[in-house]
Amino acid sequence: MSFPASLTIPSQPPFSPHQNQNQPSSQHSILIKNYKPHDIDLTASWTSSISHHCRANRLSEAASEFTAMRVAGVEPNEITFVTLLSGCANVGLGSLHFGICVHGLARKLGFDVGNVKVGTAIVNFYAKCGRVDLARVSFDEMGVKNKVSWNSMIDGYMRNGEFEEAVKVFDEMPERDVISYTVMIDGFVKKGFFEQGLKWFQEMQMDGVEADYVTISCVLSACANLGALGLGLWIHRFVIKKVFRDNIRVNNSLIDMYARCGSIEFARQIFKSMPKRSVVTWNSIIVGFALNGNPEEALEYFSLMRKDGIEPDGVSFTGALTACSHTGLVDEGVELFETMKRVYRIIPRIEHYGCLVDLYSRAGRLEEALHVIENMPMKPNDIILGSLLAACRTRGDITLAERLINHLTESGSRTDSNYVLVSNIYAAVGSWQSASNVRRKMKARGIQKKPGVSSIEIDCTVHKFMAGDKSHTDAKNVYRMLEFLSFELNMLGYVPETSLNEQYEHD
């Protein structure tokens, strides 16, 4: 059996759980050798030491302990294999080689096929490392499968985006439980297929499977992303009747759902009714206020959070910085940014730099915003560049916009909106040739302008509309109403803005 070169074999066996950790390792070796079988189960001792490293995400040390265990002639048991494979699964792709070695030994000893816990751990390990093909081979070879095995295989397909295969395994499953359905719902929601997630929740209800707090949190996340307030209200009424109505995770999800659906007052009511609050609770309400046009309250709750003894994290500062941006409090925002670094020792992430760029951009201090972009430790993303480009368009600053084009090129951006912004900036000042060049550059890179999408919720159903799309079942009535509204607006004296020269649109 071989191990990665980076995993060194220790010269001494691991510490015994009964040994004082402050004693030298040489004494340890002597004590281990002097133990008699009735004094200690050596397999349990080594496994305990391996488990300690795995729980602390020190897989390399755990691998070294396991290697030394084998050198000492101590045989691993099912707990040893499950512990190591779970540690590999938590690390992910970087542990693939070592995990394969562990699987090889498990197969040699007959644990992978004959022991359901080890077999399930192998399936889970391969799935989390992105090798769902190997997970399926291992799953098919298992002599005995339980619900956890089936759910692990479904989860493996879902997390790797192979939805059809996940549905097939789900349909083949002898007996489905709440975890089976939650895995399907959560998988679709995390991949951005929110409507599918809600459909699976409906299937779950029809199948008579009782939802738990994890299921409800997933469903509320789907409602939040879709803006489905009606369904969110129904879920809230559903929660009130359940034993987990006071579950802090469910209440956090409710605050987030109401805030993102624009019902900030309902979010506030949930917040005030909670007997216990976590940092996530405070973050949800702070960000909710900031995004719903209540920046003063966002900053007030940020202050209350600190007074309540809850230490803010990176998300808390994102909400507070967003609030400063929306209220034009530039100096206060910059001070918050420095406090985050200096006092709380939080390393700014790209979203914090994005807030800083937006803060300067909204205040018209475009050069300072550009200075942040040029000096941040990571490459700017499309959102940050778009924020400053939008400010350039508002203020007609073509010179700065042209400087930003270089950043767009360097980042390899394929987001259509920023290129369209640049094109529109040129078009707004009549520089049609430059606007046309940007459009040609988009076409050369295979970037197409995506149509705008709007949505509305009616009777718990979300209806989506795209510009020029007539596929909706009520399209005729929709367009008839639009014509009527246009007629009414014209009668009242409304004159639409002159369309930009469309020449560059068709280059």
Side-chain angles (χ1 to χ4, degrees):
M1 179 176 179
S2 62
F3 292 89
S6 59
L7 302 175
T8 57
I9 299 175
S11 58
Q12 300 291 339
F15 289 108
S16 161
H18 305 289
Q19 172 77 10
N20 186 335
Q21 295 288 321
N22 295 320
Q23 289 184 354
S25 59
S26 58
Q27 291 183 22
H28 240 116
S29 179
I30 296 170
L31 286 170
I32 289 286
K33 289 177 181 177
N34 289 336
Y35 276 130
K36 297 178 182 178
H38 64 271
D39 290 328
I40 186 170
D41 183 339
L42 288 178
T43 298
S45 177
W46 284 96
T47 300
S48 176
S49 180
I50 290 167
S51 177
H52 175 73
H53 289 302
C54 285
R55 286 197 301 270
N57 271 337
R58 296 192 298 264
L59 185 60
S60 182
E61 287 85 344
S64 296
E65 294 281 83
F66 182 59
T67 306
M69 176 183 181
R70 298 290 293 144
V71 170
V74 179
E75 289 295 314
N77 60 15
E78 65 173 36
I79 300 173
T80 314
F81 283 116
V82 171
T83 300
L84 280 168
L85 289 163
S86 298
C88 290
N90 291 334
V91 171
L93 186 59
S95 68
L96 183 60
H97 180 70
F98 174 60
I100 290 173
C101 292
V102 175
H103 181 191
L105 181 60
R107 167 157 288 249
K108 181 180 178 182
L109 299 176
F111 278 99
D112 64 331
V113 176
N115 187 287
V116 67
K117 291 182 180 178
V118 176
T120 302
I122 290 169
V123 171
N124 189 49
F125 153 67
Y126 280 127
K128 288 187 176 179
C129 288
R131 292 304 306 270
V132 70
D133 55 333
L134 297 179
R136 183 55 191 262
V137 171
S138 302
F139 176 78
D140 289 340
E141 290 185 348
M142 289 178 65
V144 179
K145 303 181 182 75
N146 58 16
K147 285 183 181 179
V148 181
S149 313
W150 286 92
N151 289 334
S152 295
M153 192 66 250
I154 294 169
D155 180 59
Y157 277 128
M158 291 302 292
R159 72 170 57 245
N160 286 280
E162 297 190 24
F163 305 127
E164 290 184 7
E165 293 299 322
V167 173
K168 287 179 183 177
V169 175
F170 182 90
D171 290 339
E172 293 169 5
M173 191 173 181
E175 186 181 353
R176 298 140 194 159
D177 58 10
V178 61
I179 298 174
S180 313
Y181 276 101
T182 302
V183 165
M184 296 298 294
I185 295 166
D186 185 49
F188 278 115
V189 171
K190 282 182 176 176
K191 295 293 183 179
F193 297 98
F194 308 115
E195 294 95 338
Q196 288 292 328
L198 294 179
K199 285 180 181 177
W200 276 91
F201 178 64
Q202 291 174 340
E203 289 280 339
M204 181 181 184
Q205 296 288 295
M206 292 170 63
D207 204 17
V209 178
E210 190 75 12
D212 63 10
Y213 75 93
V214 180
T215 317
I216 294 302
S217 295
C218 297
V219 174
L220 286 170
S221 176
C223 293
N225 282 282
L226 289 171
L229 179 60
L231 183 57
L233 286 164
W234 184 88
I235 296 294
H236 189 181
R237 288 194 292 270
F238 176 85
V239 167
I240 290 171
K241 301 174 184 177
K242 301 299 177 182
V243 294
F244 50 77
R245 62 182 175 272
D246 292 325
N247 182 283
I248 193 168
R249 182 173 169 182
V250 170
N251 282 307
N252 290 343
S253 297
L254 282 168
I255 292 173
D256 180 62
M257 183 274 295
Y258 279 129
R260 292 171 70 179
C261 288
S263 297
I264 193 64
E265 284 306 315
F266 285 162
R268 189 206 304 268
Q269 289 175 26
I270 299 292
F271 178 86
K272 288 187 174 180
S273 68
M274 291 176 67
K276 289 182 67 177
R277 304 180 185 116
S278 66
V279 66
V280 177
T281 314
W282 285 96
N283 289 346
S284 298
I285 195 70
I286 290 167
V287 173
F289 279 130
L291 297 179
N292 280 275
N294 302 76
E296 294 86 359
E297 288 185 273
L299 292 171
E300 178 189 346
Y301 273 69
F302 181 76
S303 177
L304 288 172
M305 175 186 186
R306 292 192 284 184
K307 288 180 182 177
D308 203 39
I310 303 294
E311 186 170 304
D313 61 9
V315 179
S316 317
F317 278 99
T318 298
L321 287 167
T322 301
C324 289
S325 177
H326 288 185
T327 50
L329 300 174
V330 180
D331 294 337
E332 290 82 350
V334 173
E335 185 179 346
L336 261 180
F337 186 83
E338 293 301 321
T339 298
M340 178 183 73
K341 293 192 298 181
R342 187 180 63 257
V343 177
Y344 292 95
R345 305 295 181 188
I346 297 173
I347 299 173
R349 297 192 297 269
I350 193 163
E351 57 264 32
H352 299 119
Y353 287 104
C355 288
L356 206 56
V357 170
D358 189 58
L359 183 72
Y360 283 127
S361 298
R362 286 173 180 263
R365 294 161 63 168
L366 306 190
E367 286 292 339
E368 288 168 279
L370 181 62
H371 178 76
V372 173
I373 289 175
E374 291 178 338
N375 290 278
M376 55 196 282
M378 68 284 291
K379 286 185 178 181
N381 60 19
D382 292 329
I383 297 173
I384 292 177
L385 294 173
S387 175
L388 186 49
L389 278 170
C392 290
R393 183 185 181 186
T394 301
R395 299 182 179 272
D397 194 332
I398 298 177
T399 305
L400 187 58
E402 287 177 336
R403 290 164 65 186
L404 283 172
I405 293 175
N406 295 328
H407 289 286
L408 275 177
T409 305
E410 289 173 6
S411 67
S413 172
R414 299 189 60 81
T415 304
D416 64 307
S417 57
N418 286 338
Y419 287 98
V420 172
L421 264 175
V422 174
S423 176
N424 290 344
I425 291 170
Y426 283 127
V429 295
S431 182
W432 305 112
Q433 185 58 47
S434 297
S436 181
N437 289 339
V438 174
R439 293 284 178 162
R440 277 197 291 269
K441 188 179 291 185
M442 286 179 65
K443 289 179 181 179
R445 295 183 179 182
I447 302 171
Q448 294 185 337
K449 184 179 182 297
K450 297 183 182 71
V453 180
S454 60
S455 63
I456 185 171
E457 183 196 14
I458 303 172
D459 296 331
C460 295
T461 300
V462 177
H463 299 266
K464 288 186 177 181
F465 301 93
M466 283 191 285
D469 180 27
K470 296 185 180 181
S471 62
H472 193 276
T473 52
D474 289 320
K476 287 184 179 179
N477 292 329
V478 171
Y479 277 94
R480 193 175 292 125
M481 179 58 72
L482 286 173
E483 289 173 5
F484 174 74
L485 290 172
S486 296
F487 176 77
E488 288 287 308
L489 287 168
N490 289 330
M491 290 295 292
L492 292 171
Y494 170 74
V495 179
E497 291 182 9
T498 304
S499 297
L500 297 174
N501 189 322
E502 296 185 355
Q503 171 190 343
Y504 68 97
E505 292 275 359
H506 307 290
D507 287 336

